[in-house]
Amino acid sequence: MSTRDLFTFSNRHFTIGVGITAAILVVTAIAGFVVLPFAQPWVRFANVWDAICSAAGVAQRAANVTTPDQPKRLSEVVLTSRTLSRPSQEAIGRGATLAQRCAICHGPTGISRADSPNLAGQYAAVIYKELHDFRSGARANAVMSPFAVNLTDEEIADLSNYYAYLPRLPAYHPTPQLPKPNIVIYGAPMRGIAPCGSCHGSLDNKTGSPWLEGQSEAYMKAQLQAFASSERRNDISQQMRNIARAMTSQEIEAAAAYYASQPPDIVKAVD
Amino acid sequence: MLVNRKLILAHFWLAFAVFGIALTLGAWQMFIRSPIGTWLSNPELYYRSLTAHGTVMGYVFPTLVAMGFGYAISESALEQRLIGVRWAWTGFWLIVIGSVMAVIPIALGRASVLYTFYPPLIGNLFYYLGVVLVVVGSWIWVALMSINLRVWRKAHPGAAVPLAMFANVAGSYLWAWTAVGAALELLLQIIPVAAGLKNTIDAGLARVFFSWTLHAIVYFWLMPTYIAYYTIVPRAIGGRVYSDTMARISFILFLVVAMPIGMHHTFADPQVGAGFKFIHSAFTALVALPTLLTVFTICASVEIAARLRGGRGLFGWIGALPWDNPMMLALAFSFIMLGFGGAGGLINMSYQLDASIHNTQWITGHFHLIFGGAIVIMYFAIAYDLWPHLTGRELIDIRLIRTQLWLWFIGMIVTTFPWHWVGILGMPRRMAYFDFGDPAIAPQALSVTFSAIGGFVLLASGIMFIVILARGMRAPQIDAGAYRFALAVHQPTTVPVALNTHALWVALMIALTITNYGYPILNLATTAGTSVPAVYVGAQ
Ligand code: HEM
Ligand SMILES: [Cu+2]
C-alpha cells in the first residue's frame, strides 16, 4: 500500500482517525462556543453569533462602561534611545547657563541646602522626566511648576544632560552611614515590594528611577507619603504608589533615613 | 550495529555535563530561597541562575538525549549505518555553539528572562540567537531520522518499521512541528526587538506562540522515556512487549493530540477566548489516553516477564520480578512518579481547578516530579543500558547504580511533595526570596526546608550518575554484543500502512494545530493596539 492508498476513505484507519478527530473537534467546539457561553447566566448575548465571537476572543466594545474620571494628568514623557544620547559640550554648556536659576534651591554645584533633591550626577532620564511632568502638570509643586512651564523640550534635555554630567558630591550635611534596613535589602515580597535597589540603582536601574543616596531625608519621606496617599501620581503604571501604599510608616522612615545617610559615590556605576 | 559510537557518546556526554551544571544551580536555587539559606540580597543573581537552569534543563539537555538516543536507535534498530554523519556532527556543533552563545549573556546578567522568555521582558540578542542555534541543530537530527528511515524503507519494501524507530521518528516530527511556535515567537517578535529594530512587542501573541511549543515539547522530552518503556525494559527484564500495535497507537496518539492543547498554559490569559480554552482543555483530557495505554501495556509486558520467571497468582508475580535489575527499579520508580505527577496534572488541565494553583509552586513541583522524576530517571536507565555498547566496557558498579536510582527517586519525592503542598497554600513560583519570618508564610518554612534537603539528595544522585558513567569509560573491556530492542509477543511481520508510516498522523497534527491555533493567532496578529513597550533586562 502506498501513501496514495493511505489518504482515502476506503482505508479504515484513515476514515476512523479523521472521523474521530473531526467529531471530537465539532463536539468540543459546539460546547465551547455555544453551550457554555449561554450556560453563564450573568452574561447576556444578543444572539448565537455574538456568543461565538465572544468565546473566540474577538475584541468587542464593552457596552455602557463608564471610564473613570482622570482628574489629574498622567505622565506623557517619551524617551527614545536618541533623546539624551551623547550630549555635546555645547548642550551641557547651555544646560549650565539655564541651571543658574535652579541653583537657589538645588545648590550651585547641584547639592541642595534646602531639602530639595541633589541633582549633581543624577540620571539624565530622571531629570528629563520630572521636568516634563512638572511642565505638563502630571506632577505639581508650587515652586517647581512655574519654573518648568516655560522650558522648551531642548532646554529640558540640556538641563538633564548638564546635571547628569556633574560629579556626585557628598550631601551638604553628611550623617554617619546607617545599616541597611530590611525593607531596603529585601523589600517585602509578600506585600509585592521589591528591594529598592532593584530599580533605584544599587542592584539595577530602571529608566526613570533616580538613585537616592544622600538625598534629603525629609524630602524622601514626604515623597513616599505623597505616593502612598496618591497625592503624587506621575509614576508610570503606579509603580511607586503601589509600593509606598504597602509600606508601613516605620518602613518609610527607615528607608528615608538610610538613603539620606549614604554617600552618593556608592551608587553602582551602572550608567 | 552501533557504528558511530563517538557521535552518540558526544551527545550523551554533552547532555550529562550540562545537566550536572544545571542540577547544581537547581539545588542552589532551592537552598537559597529556603529558610536554611541566607538570602543573597540580589534577586538578579537568582534569576540568572534560574534562566540558566531552565534553558539547559528545558532545551539543551533533553534535546541532546533525544538526539543521541535517536542516532543509536537508527543504527541499531534499522541495522543500517547512519546516513549523514557529517550533518549529524554539524547539528551537534551548532548546539555546542548555541549553548555557549546563550550562556554568556545569561552569566553576565544580560538575559535574565527565564526560559519561557517572558515578553515584554527583552534580554541580550545573543541569548535568543543561541537558543535558535540549538533548535536548528536539533532540526538537522529530525531531517536525518526521516532520511534514514526512508532509505531503510526503500531497501525493505513493505516490511514493518521496527517499533523503536517508528516511535523515534514520531518524536522527531513532533519536535519539528512544536518548535515552530517558539521559533515564530523568536523570529517575528522577540529578536526584532532584541536587535533594536522595534521597541514594542505584542506580549499576548507571543505567549500564544509559546504555548504552541510548551505543551508538545513536554511529549518530546517524554519520547525517549516511552521508547525505553516499550523497547528496552521488557528485553532487559526478560519479558516481551505485550502488544506492538498498542505501542504504535500510543505513539501516533501523541503526535495527534500533544499539539492542539497548549493553550492550557494560557487559562489565565485575557487575550485568548474562552471557547478556545475549552477546546484545548478537552483535547488535553485526551492526551491521558496514550499514557493510560502505555501504563497498561507495560504492566502487561512486565507481568509476562514475571510469569516467565515462575511468578504466580493475581499479584504474587510481582515478587518474581528481577528487582535487583536497575532497569526494573528505574521503571518502577518512573511509574510511581508518573502516577503522582499525572494525578496532579488532572488539576492543571481543568480550567477551574487550575485557577487555584496557577503560577504557584505547585506548578514547579508538578513538572519536576514528571520531568525531573519520571522522565529523567529513564534517561539514566537508557544511558546505563547503552553504555557498554557505546564504550565496549562493562558497567561494573551495579550496586552503585541501584543506589543512584534509589537516591534520585527518594530525592525527587522529598523535593516535590512539599513543593506541591506549599503551592496549594498559595506560595507563588519564580520568586527569588521568601520572608519566612512573616506570619503569613511562616508555616511553609518546614516544607520548603524539606524540599531543599531533597534537592541536595538529587544533587548527590546526579553526581553519582556522572561518576558511574565516567568510571564506565575505564572499566575492563567486554564484548557487549549487538544492541537489541525488546520483541513483542506477536512480533509483527506486516503492519497496516497507517501504523507503519507517519503521514496521516502528521497531517492530523497540522490540521488540528490550524483549527485550534489559527484563529486566535490571526485575531491577535490583526488586532491593533495590542503591543506594549519592551522592558530591557539590565538596560539603563
Ligand atoms: C537538584 C534537583 C533540582 C532542583 C533542586 C531544582 C530546583 C529548581 C527551582 C528552585 C526552580 C525555580 C522554581 C521557581 O522559582 O519558580 C527550578 C526551575 C526549573 N527546573 Fe529545576 N531543579 C532540579 C532539577 C531539575 C531537573 C532534573 C529538571 C529537568 C530536567 C529541571 C527543570 C527545570 C525547569 C524547566 C525549570 C523552569 C525554569 C523557570 O521557571 O524558568 N530541574 N528548578
Ligand atoms: Cu502543557
Side-chain angles (χ1 to χ4, degrees), chain A residues 1 55 57-58 186 189-190 205 207 270, chain B residues 39 273 275 433 441 497 519 523 539:
Chain A
M1 226 196 256
V58 181
Y186 306 133
M190 299 312 288
N205 177 240
T207 309
V270 282
Chain B
W39 169 231
Y433 169 73
I441 62 164
V497 67
Y519 181 76
N523 181 28

Side-chain angles (χ1 to χ4, degrees), chain B residues 365-445:
Chain B
H366 166 76
F367 70 69
H368 279 82
L369 184 55
I370 287 263
F371 182 19
I375 295 180
V376 170
I377 206 165
M378 292 308 291
Y379 289 2
F380 297 156
I382 292 170
Y384 289 145
D385 197 57
L386 266 174
W387 222 246
H389 299 270
L390 295 174
T391 59
R393 291 160 197 274
E394 195 182 357
L395 278 184
I396 27 181
D397 314 305
I398 297 294
R399 281 252 308 275
L400 204 59
I401 291 178
R402 282 202 298 263
T403 317
Q404 189 268 327
L405 294 171
W406 268 105
L407 280 184
W408 191 261
F409 174 65
I410 295 170
M412 200 46 87
I413 299 288
V414 173
T415 307
T416 56
F417 278 31
W419 210 347
H420 279 80
W421 172 242
V422 294
I424 297 178
L425 296 181
M427 187 180 211
R429 71 183 280 207
R430 288 183 160 174
M431 297 256 298
Y433 169 73
F434 293 94
D435 177 5
F436 293 98
D438 188 310
I441 62 164
Q444 299 168 27

Side-chain angles (χ1 to χ4, degrees), chain A:
Chain A
M1 226 196 256
S2 73
T3 32
R4 245 217 345 263
D5 308 317
L6 179 60
F7 288 92
T8 79
F9 283 103
S10 57
N11 176 356
R12 203 164 43 98
H13 289 101
F14 177 80
T15 322
I16 295 177
V18 174
I20 294 182
T21 312
I24 294 174
L25 186 65
V26 170
V27 171
T28 53
I30 293 174
F33 288 101
V34 182
V35 180
L36 290 177
F38 282 108
Q40 309 171 75
W42 58 92
V43 205
R44 288 244 186 79
F45 298 104
N47 49 41
V48 176
W49 183 243
D50 187 26
I52 293 176
C53 289
S54 158
V58 181
Q60 285 167 314
R61 200 179 299 280
N64 56 41
V65 175
T66 46
T67 42
D69 305 342
Q70 295 285 352
K72 292 194 189 160
R73 309 187 57 152
L74 300 176
S75 185
E76 290 163 352
V77 182
V78 177
L79 193 66
T80 71
S81 50
R82 251 173 295 143
T83 314
L84 296 168
S85 65
R86 293 204 208 96
S88 62
Q89 289 300 316
E90 214 180 312
I92 293 174
R94 282 196 306 270
T97 313
L98 288 165
Q100 304 264 334
R101 33 179 144 152
C102 318
I104 186 164
C105 293
H106 293 284
T109 56
I111 301 299
S112 169
R113 307 182 186 191
D115 283 340
S116 314
N118 302 331
L119 301 178
Q122 185 53 274
Y123 302 127
V126 170
I127 300 176
Y128 185 83
K129 172 173 183 298
E130 296 307 321
L131 284 175
H132 269 278
D133 285 350
F134 280 125
R135 189 175 73 177
S136 70
R139 183 177 176 189
N141 177 284
V143 183
M144 270 313 293
S145 300
F147 276 99
V149 268
N150 296 321
L151 292 175
T152 65
D153 285 357
E154 196 198 1
E155 286 170 338
I156 290 180
D158 291 344
L159 277 165
S160 310
N161 284 324
Y162 165 67
Y163 276 118
Y165 161 85
L166 291 183
R168 286 175 191 159
L169 298 174
Y172 199 69
H173 293 296
T175 50
Q177 257 178 282
L178 295 174
K180 265 191 190 178
N182 280 351
I183 186 72
V184 172
I185 309 176
Y186 306 133
M190 299 312 288
R191 281 177 275 147
I193 304 179
C196 314
S198 49
C199 291
H200 288 285
S202 48
L203 299 173
D204 196 1
N205 177 240
K206 304 281 153 57
T207 309
S209 323
W211 53 261
L212 305 170
E213 282 78 358
Q215 299 292 0
S216 148
E217 182 177 346
Y219 174 75
M220 283 189 287
K221 195 172 143 187
Q223 293 311 308
L224 283 171
Q225 285 163 344
F227 278 126
S229 67
S230 289
E231 189 188 316
R232 179 174 167 187
R233 45 208 301 166
N234 67 323
D235 52 330
I236 293 164
S237 310
Q238 307 212 17
Q239 292 171 98
M240 206 49 227
R241 269 173 287 172
N242 281 329
I243 287 173
R245 276 186 211 122
M247 288 171 80
T248 63
S249 52
Q250 291 92 321
E251 283 168 344
I252 288 183
E253 270 167 30
Y258 164 77
Y259 274 112
S261 73
Q262 302 302 307
D265 51 5
I266 67 165
V267 177
K268 191 173 136 197
V270 282
D271 40 351

Side-chain angles (χ1 to χ4, degrees), chain B residues 214-215 264-265:
Chain B
L214 191 53
H215 194 82
H264 60 218
H265 294 277

